[in-house]
Amino acid sequence: MGQCGITSSKTVLVFLNLIFWGAAGILCYVGAYVFITYDDYDHFFEDVYTLFPAVVIIAVGALLFIIGLIGCCATIRESRCGLATFVFILLLVFVTEVVVVVLGYVYRAKVENEVDRSIQKVYKTYNGTNSDGASRAIDYVQRQLHCCGIYNYSDWENTDWFKETKNQSVPLSCCRETAKNCNGSLANPSDLYAEGCKALVVKTLQEILMHVIWAALAFAAIQLLGMLCACIVLCRRSRDPAYELLITGGTYA
C-alpha cells in the first residue's frame, strides 16, 4: 500500500515537472505579449513600473524551466536534498507569483488615472506626421480599437492640429473600415468611429494586466500541488520502510 502511494506521488510529481516546462514557455509568452502590447500604448501610460509584473513573470517563467529540471532529476534519482531544494525554490516562486498578482491588481487600479493624465497631452501634440511617435500611436490606437478622439470625434476640434489644418476634418484613422471614400470630414459623421478612445485604451490595458494576474494565479495553484507531492515523497522517504526497500531493491524477511 505504501509503495502504491509513493509511486503515485512520484508519478504526479514527474508529470507536474513536465507541466512546469510548459508553464515556463506560457509565462514567458504572456510577459513578452505584455511588453509588445505596452509598446503600442506607451504614449498613453507614462508609469513604466506597470511593466514590473511582466518582468517578474518572465523571470518566473525562466526559473520554472530550471525548477522542472531540478524536480525531474531529484524525483528520478530519489534525492532528498534535490527534493528539498525543489520544494524551497517552488515556495520562493509561489511567493513571487503572489506578489505579481498583488502588483497586477495595484497597477490595474491605476490605469485609468494614468491614461486620463497622459491622453490629453498626447492628443494635443498630434501633428499628423508618421515620423512623430505620438501621432503614430494615436493613429494606431484609433485604427486598432475603432475609436476617434478622447471621448468622441468632436474632441479633435480642440486640438492644435485641427485648428492649423482648417479643413474641418479629423485624421483618416477615424474613418470606419466600411466607409468608402472617407476623408475624415466632420460633415459626414456617419463615416467616423463614434466611440472615444480613452475608455477603450483603459479597458485594453486592464485586460493585459488581467492576463498576467490569471497566468500567475493558475501556475501558483500548480506549484502548490507540486510542493504537496514533493513533501509527500520526502515524508514517505523518511518514515516508510517500504520506500527504502523500493530504492534499494530489498525485500522483507
Side-chain angles (χ1 to χ4, degrees), residues 23-151:
I26 294 172
L27 288 177
C28 288
Y29 171 80
V30 171
Y33 169 75
V34 172
F35 268 101
I36 293 169
T37 309
Y38 179 87
D39 189 53
D40 295 327
Y41 295 91
D42 62 345
H43 286 83
F44 301 95
F45 207 85
E46 297 176 349
D47 189 354
V48 294
Y49 292 105
T50 308
L51 288 176
F52 185 68
V55 173
V56 175
I57 211 165
I58 289 175
V60 168
L63 191 56
L64 274 179
F65 181 82
I66 299 173
I67 290 173
L69 187 62
I70 293 173
C72 274
C73 291
T75 305
I76 293 171
R77 297 181 63 182
E78 316 288 355
S79 170
R80 177 182 293 185
C81 180
L83 282 173
T85 303
F86 174 69
V87 172
F88 178 72
I89 296 176
L90 270 186
L91 181 61
L92 289 180
V93 174
F94 176 77
V95 172
T96 303
E97 288 185 335
V98 171
V99 171
V100 168
V101 171
V102 173
L103 288 176
Y105 273 108
V106 169
Y107 286 118
R108 188 173 181 271
K110 292 174 61 178
V111 164
E112 188 166 1
N113 290 334
E114 284 288 330
V115 172
D116 191 48
R117 187 166 64 240
S118 60
I119 197 169
Q120 300 276 355
K121 183 168 61 178
V122 175
Y123 269 84
K124 284 185 180 298
T125 59
Y126 183 88
N127 62 20
T129 61
N130 196 49
S131 59
D132 178 61
S135 298
R136 286 199 309 272
I138 290 173
D139 286 332
Y140 171 82
V141 166
Q142 292 190 152
R143 288 193 180 98
Q144 191 75 11
L145 302 183
H146 298 168
C147 58
C148 185
I150 299 173
Y151 298 101

Side-chain angles (χ1 to χ4, degrees), residues 174-209:
C174 282
C175 292
R176 295 179 182 272
E177 292 180 345
T178 55
K180 295 181 179 179
N181 302 319
C182 175
N183 59 6
S185 174
L186 291 176
N188 301 306
S190 60
D191 290 345
L192 309 175
Y193 294 121
E195 190 170 359
C197 293
K198 178 189 168 183
L200 294 176
V201 169
V202 169
K203 180 182 176 183
T204 301
L205 290 172
Q206 288 180 336
E207 286 177 349
I208 291 169
L209 287 174

Side-chain angles (χ1 to χ4, degrees), residues 140-241:
Y140 171 82
V141 166
Q142 292 190 152
R143 288 193 180 98
Q144 191 75 11
L145 302 183
H146 298 168
C147 58
C148 185
I150 299 173
Y151 298 101
N152 55 58
Y153 57 78
S154 65
D155 294 323
W156 280 104
E157 297 181 52
N158 300 318
T159 62
D160 294 336
W161 174 82
F162 184 89
K163 295 170 183 176
E164 289 170 4
T165 55
K166 299 178 181 179
N167 58 8
Q168 297 296 306
S169 64
V170 297
L172 295 179
S173 56
C174 282
C175 292
R176 295 179 182 272
E177 292 180 345
T178 55
K180 295 181 179 179
N181 302 319
C182 175
N183 59 6
S185 174
L186 291 176
N188 301 306
S190 60
D191 290 345
L192 309 175
Y193 294 121
E195 190 170 359
C197 293
K198 178 189 168 183
L200 294 176
V201 169
V202 169
K203 180 182 176 183
T204 301
L205 290 172
Q206 288 180 336
E207 286 177 349
I208 291 169
L209 287 174
M210 279 306 299
H211 291 157
V212 174
I213 291 169
W214 282 115
L217 283 173
F219 294 117
I222 294 173
Q223 284 166 229
L224 275 177
L225 184 58
M227 284 188 286
L228 178 62
C229 290
C231 286
I232 290 173
V233 173
L234 276 172
C235 290
R236 290 289 179 87
R237 188 182 181 348
S238 302
R239 299 178 184 176
D240 196 337

